[in-house]
């Protein structure tokens, strides 16, 4: 980012002023943290960041040391309060910008778990870099502290390409954490050592271990200076190859050479040099630190590095905190995000902060003198990377102090395609009218109650102190005891008043204020409202809900409100266009458009539930007003509940809850239990994105119907604009899987779902092939299959023949060739860059010695021994894989229906379901029994491996199937590790351990018990 000479001079002056006092500030921070040096350094670094970012007028600060001490004290208070009152969901280690940031932000109680996760992430990236650039990018960003712009320069690619690689790497690493054996393309899994797991090290020690593991994973010869100069010359426009990039990122010498060529900071400037050696600094308590000479320069490097992290950090969410308490939050997704809120605080406002979802403090506004001694408003603006800036203004001109936050990110322009892919974004770009009215209404509802509670707590504390004073010896001998007693009586009276006259939250008032806030926001002609809502539809007791996504656009200037619904695959199913006059036009994919008037009973049907608005107004209409609605206050919002209104009409709302955000009283979650002719269904609406966008920046196309809805294109099954793929079979004239004919919608019963799975099971289509059975938004069954040959495709369609004419079944079966042909135009160049191959330095498998010793007892010919070893290894890996597929099929069958649903099945359907359970349990047991018998002869001749399983049945089937699948994954990984060619052939073989044999016997016994339980029920 370019800055003027004056700005650079000002920044340098603030930096020098702060670093000159570093020793003194560190000594104060050690006192504040009770001698904890790591926390004390964090405080000083945070103070350096905010002091150099905000750049207060030094001439206006009368006592600079006192000002900096106040900043440290407030930062410490914020640190303690946020630790006691965490806000939002906890992030996994992968969701932070870097390993160092995740270690700084994690709860101390989770240190061991997070550090083990980081070791696994490092192991994944070191392995993956050899076959994909994604691994190298993750190492640069997450382990070595490079930023996306810098990574793009090292890759010789665009920043967007670097961030896409990073996104892919994070997704793969997440899968690697869940199941390391699941990413078979990574290759050898024993080549990277990242230190022992199961215990916590200091942050610097762990970072040292991780970076040492990265550099130890380097392969190949270093690049010559001429080769590097050629790669990074201005004339070369080609990207760096994956193998070359893998070497550069794991070789300190080559990486620093690239840094010099590109003018990037060296490794020594990215993290302290002492983390690559022994840390000689004192731990725990101690004095001020004695930083002089090299120590002072090292401290300066640490401060600058932390400031650079904050400068480059791109928040996904902004959290506004006052005096250490988070008051509001909003997601970032527009070029300009603004929020204004009133603060009803009983204590004076000392500081305001803006933090990201990763707990990175982006802005700190310190209030040394509030009115009347100080000014009526305070403002701080900080400049961030790539033209971004964040500004906070605290105003005391209103009855309640007002905080206004504005964050500008020119590159955050969100296109419609990006919104669909990432499920929208959240921001609060409020107009002045809405900004001043909505927070005030929220504070009126929330601030009054919480304020009185704080007063009550203070009075209670005062009373306790007074009673302790009365009990002190000699109190009644001192002057003024009568006055003290009268004061005590006054305190007691005030305490009783506030305790028994504390007002309760009124549901009627909350609904009225929320409705008023909704109407005020929707009436601003200069803005367009955009909401993204997740809808889950579930039958009572069902394990897997049917999910869909709802997009709502509303413009006061156009007088239109548009609602679209998409299925889980992102396909547009239907939409409704409403005018301000109340007229509505409904479009459904594959059906004609029609105009109709909304009616609550019609909206509650399975086909129309998506038209219910997530709002206080619709909630009131559905439950018949505020009568009978109860309200509960929570830390971040209000929960309104209603038990439903009686009546014979079906469908009707049996139960309903609505959650209002405390920040602005906006409806953010709603649950409806609807009672209809087919029984109860539960619908859960959750707001996943909300933004107020300037009308001029919104594409008018969002208010026009798509061709697949309006009927301008034909055959839009599959992806928008494509012809219907071959292999699509339905029971309707159209291919749309959300039927919208005028009659009663076809909804698949549980019996039909079992029949479809049973037919597929008979041809073993659920053992390793890409065949899925799910439900559409309307409740139909969707069968999708991707097979290798045309013959297999015909076999699956033939097996499904008895149900293909059922209107509640939609089947799409394609060969790989057909799928590639459809996707060819959408293929990206990046796909061809990853080389997924393993460099094998030896042709022997880790179990070679055991097998050679076993077969040598009866064979003398070396060639025959090699053949037997190869056949034995292939046979055991095949059995292990077959057992794993049976376990996965069992898990899917067990998770598909709850015990209540199984008991309510028709006898024939229940018998078929039990038959599938029994067959897969038997198949699993047979494969594991043969595997155990042959392995035992080689690796553990004396092992019996007998084990018993606890009783199983319908109630525990899901739990038992999950356990069986976990055991199977572990067994399959052990078998493949022993029999797969590897460059670590001398590694220990897990098949020799008693733990493996006990686990294998336990899995076999569990499968046998599952088979027996369902055989008994059948008989």
């Amino acid at each position: 980012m370019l800055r003027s000479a004056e700005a650079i001079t000002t920044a340098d002056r603030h930096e020098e002023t702060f670093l000159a006092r570093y020793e003194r500030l560190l000594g104060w921070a050690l006192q504040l943290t009770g001698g904890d040096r790591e926390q004390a350094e964090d405080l000083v670094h945070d103070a350096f960041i905010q002091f150099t970012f905000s750049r207060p007028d030094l001439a206006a600060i009368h006592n600079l040391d006192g000002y900096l001490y106040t900043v440290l004290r407030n930062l410490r208070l914020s640190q303690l309060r946020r630790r006691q009152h965490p806000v939002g969901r906890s992030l996994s280690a992968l969701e932070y910008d870097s390993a160092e940031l995740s270690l700084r932000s994690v709860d101390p109680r989770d240190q061991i778990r997070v550090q083990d996760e980081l070791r696994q992430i490092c192991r994944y990236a070191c392995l993956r870099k050899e076959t994909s650039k994604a691994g190298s990018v993750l190492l640069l960003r997450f382990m070595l502290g490079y930023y996306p712009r810098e990574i793009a320069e090292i890759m010789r690619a665009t920043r967007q390409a670097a961030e896409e690689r990073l996104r892919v790497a994070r997704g793969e690493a997440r899968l690697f954490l869940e199941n390391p054996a699941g990413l078979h393309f990574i290759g050898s899994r024993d080549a990277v050592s990242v230190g022992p797991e199961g215990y916590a090290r200091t942050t610097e020690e762990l970072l040292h271990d991780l970076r040492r593991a990265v550099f130890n994973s380097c392969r190949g010869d270093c690049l010559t200076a001429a080769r590097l100069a050629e790669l990074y010359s201005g004339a070369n426009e080609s990207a760096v190859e994956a193998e070359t990039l893998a070497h550069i990122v794991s070789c300190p010498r080559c990486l620093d050479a690239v840094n010099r060529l590109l003018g990037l900071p060296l490794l020594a400037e990215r993290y302290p040099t002492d983390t690559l050696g022994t840390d000689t600094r004192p731990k725990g308590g101690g004095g001020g630190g004695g930083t002089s000479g090299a120590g002072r320069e090292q401290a300066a490097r640490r401060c600058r590095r932390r400031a650079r992290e904050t400068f480059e950090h791109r928040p996904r969410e902004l959290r506004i905190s006052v005096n250490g308490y988070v008051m509001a939050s909003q997601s970032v997704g527009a070029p300009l995000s603004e929020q204004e809120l009133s603060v009803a605080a009983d204590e004076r406002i000392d500081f305001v902060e803006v933090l990201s979802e990763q707990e990175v403090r982006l802005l700190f506004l310190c209030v040394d003198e509030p009115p009347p001694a100080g000014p009526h408003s305070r403002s701080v603006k900080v400049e961030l990377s790539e033209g971004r800036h964040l500004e906070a203004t605290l105003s005391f001109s209103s009855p309640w102090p007002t905080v206004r936050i504005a964050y500008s990110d020119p590159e955050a322009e969100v296109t419609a395609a990006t919104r669909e892919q990432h499920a929208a974004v959240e921001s609060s770009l409020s107009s002045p009218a809405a900004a001043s009215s909505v927070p005030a209404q929220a504070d009126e509802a929330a601030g009054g109650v919480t304020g009185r509670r704080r007063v009550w707590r203070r009075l209670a504390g005062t009373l306790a102190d007074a009673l302790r004073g009365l009990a002190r010896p000699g109190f009644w001998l001192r002057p003024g005891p009568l006055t003290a007693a009268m004061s005590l009586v006054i305190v007691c009276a005030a305490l009783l008043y506030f305790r028994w006259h504390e007002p309760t939250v009124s549901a009627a008032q909350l609904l009225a204020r929320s409705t008023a806030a909704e109407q005020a926001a929707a009436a601003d002609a200069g803005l367009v409202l955009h909401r993204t809502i997740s809808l889950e539809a579930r039958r009572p007791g069902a394990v897997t809900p049917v999910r869909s996504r709802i997009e709502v656009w509303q413009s006061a200037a156009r007088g239109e409100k548009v609602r679209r619904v998409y299925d889980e695959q992102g396909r547009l199913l239907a939409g409704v266009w409403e005018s301000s006059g109340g007229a509505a036009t409904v479009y459904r994919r594959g059906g004609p458009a029609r105009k109709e008037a909304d009616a609550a009973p019609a909206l509650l049907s399975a086909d129309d539930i998506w038209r219910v608005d997530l709002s206080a107004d619709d909630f009131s209409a559905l439950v018949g007003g505020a009568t009978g609605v109860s309200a509960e206050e929570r830390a971040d919002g209000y929960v309104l509940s209603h038990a439903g209104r009686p009546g014979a009409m079906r469908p009707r709302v049996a139960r309903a809850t609505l959650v209002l955000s405390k920040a602005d009283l906006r409806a953010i979650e709603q649950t409806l239990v609807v009672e209809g002719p087919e029984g109860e269904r539960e619908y859960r609406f959750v707001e996943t994105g909300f933004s107020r966008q300037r009308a001029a920046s919104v594409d008018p196309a969002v208010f026009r119907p798509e061709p697949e809805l309006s009927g301008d294109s034909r055959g839009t099954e599959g992806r928008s604009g494509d012809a219907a793929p071959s292999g699509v079979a339905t029971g309707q004239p159209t291919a749309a899987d959300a039927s919208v004919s005028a009659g009663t919608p076809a909804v698949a019963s549980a019996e039909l779902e079992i029949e479809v799975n049973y037919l597929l099971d008979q041809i073993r289509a659920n053992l390793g092939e890409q065949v899925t059975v799910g439900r559409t938004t309307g409740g139909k069954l969707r069968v999708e299959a991707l097979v290798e040959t045309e013959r297999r495709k015909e076999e699956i369609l033939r097996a499904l023949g008895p149900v293909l004419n059922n209107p509640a079944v939609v089947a799409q079966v394609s060969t790989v060739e057909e799928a590639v042909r459809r996707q060819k135009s959408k293929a990206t160049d990046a796909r061809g860059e990853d080389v997924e191959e393993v460099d094998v330095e030896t042709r022997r498998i880790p179990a070679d010695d055991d097998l050679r010793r076993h077969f040598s007892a009866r064979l003398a010919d070396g060639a025959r021994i090699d053949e037997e070893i190869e056949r034995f290894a292939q046979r055991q890996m095949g059995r292990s894989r077959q057992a794993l597929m049976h376990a996965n099929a069992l898990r899917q069958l067990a998770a598909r229906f709850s015990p209540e649903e199984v008991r309510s099945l028709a006898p024939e359907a229940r018998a078929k379901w039990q038959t599938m359970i029994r067959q897969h349990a038997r198949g699993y047991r047979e494969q594991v029994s043969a595997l155990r018998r042959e392995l035992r002869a080689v690796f553990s001749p004396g092992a019996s491996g007998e084990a018993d399983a606890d009783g199983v049945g319908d109630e525990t089937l899901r739990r038992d199937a999950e356990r069986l699948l976990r055991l199977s994954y572990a067994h399959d990984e052990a078998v493949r590790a022993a029999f797969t060619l590897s460059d670590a052939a001398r590694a220990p073989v897990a098949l020799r351990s008693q733990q493996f044999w006990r686990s294998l016997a336990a899995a076999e016994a569990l499968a046998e018990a599952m088979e027996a339980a369902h055989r008994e029920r059948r008989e």
Side-chain angles (χ1 to χ4, degrees), residues 787 789-800 813:
V787 296
T789 65
E790 188 71 27
R791 181 179 178 181
R792 183 56 170 168
K793 168 185 169 181
E794 293 174 357
E795 187 178 1
I796 291 178
L797 289 174
R798 191 164 48 248
L800 292 173
V813 185

Side-chain angles (χ1 to χ4, degrees), residues 535-549:
L535 170 60
E536 291 185 355
R538 184 193 301 269
R539 295 190 305 274
V543 175
T544 305
V546 178
R547 296 181 175 88
S548 55
R549 187 180 85 252

Side-chain angles (χ1 to χ4, degrees), residues 476-505:
W476 294 99
L477 300 178
R478 296 200 304 268
L482 182 59
T483 303
M486 292 180 64
S487 300
L488 179 58
V489 172
I490 294 173
V491 170
C492 290
L495 179 63
L496 293 174
Y497 174 82
F498 278 98
R499 178 65 182 91
W500 276 280
H501 289 79
E502 181 179 312
T504 59
V505 180

Side-chain angles (χ1 to χ4, degrees), residues 44-118:
V44 178
H45 295 159
D46 284 344
F48 173 84
I49 294 169
Q50 300 309 320
F51 186 73
T52 55
F53 276 25
S54 60
R55 296 197 292 272
D57 184 0
L58 298 179
I61 301 177
H62 304 298
N63 182 354
L64 185 57
D65 286 342
Y67 173 86
L68 291 174
Y69 178 79
T70 301
V71 170
L72 282 176
R73 185 191 61 197
N74 289 338
L75 287 171
R76 177 57 175 170
L77 179 62
S78 172
Q79 187 183 74
L80 294 174
R81 285 182 171 175
R82 284 186 292 113
R83 188 178 301 166
Q84 294 170 358
H85 305 282
V87 176
R89 67 181 183 89
S90 58
L91 303 179
S92 67
L94 264 172
E95 292 179 274
Y96 288 91
D97 287 347
S98 65
E100 184 175 2
L101 182 56
S102 69
L103 289 170
R104 286 205 308 264
S105 305
V106 72
D107 189 309
R109 294 168 293 185
D110 292 333
Q111 278 288 340
I112 293 180
R113 176 185 62 79
V114 171
Q115 292 194 13
D116 284 347
E117 283 186 7
L118 292 175

Side-chain angles (χ1 to χ4, degrees), residues 931-945:
L931 179 70
R932 189 157 65 103
R933 184 173 59 254
E934 292 203 42
L935 290 180
R936 186 170 56 200
V938 177
F939 297 97
S940 186
S944 63

Side-chain angles (χ1 to χ4, degrees), residues 156-167:
R156 306 295 287 176
T158 64
R159 172 181 168 167
Q160 289 73 19
E163 291 190 330
E164 176 61 17
R165 293 282 184 177
L166 186 60
R167 184 189 66 80

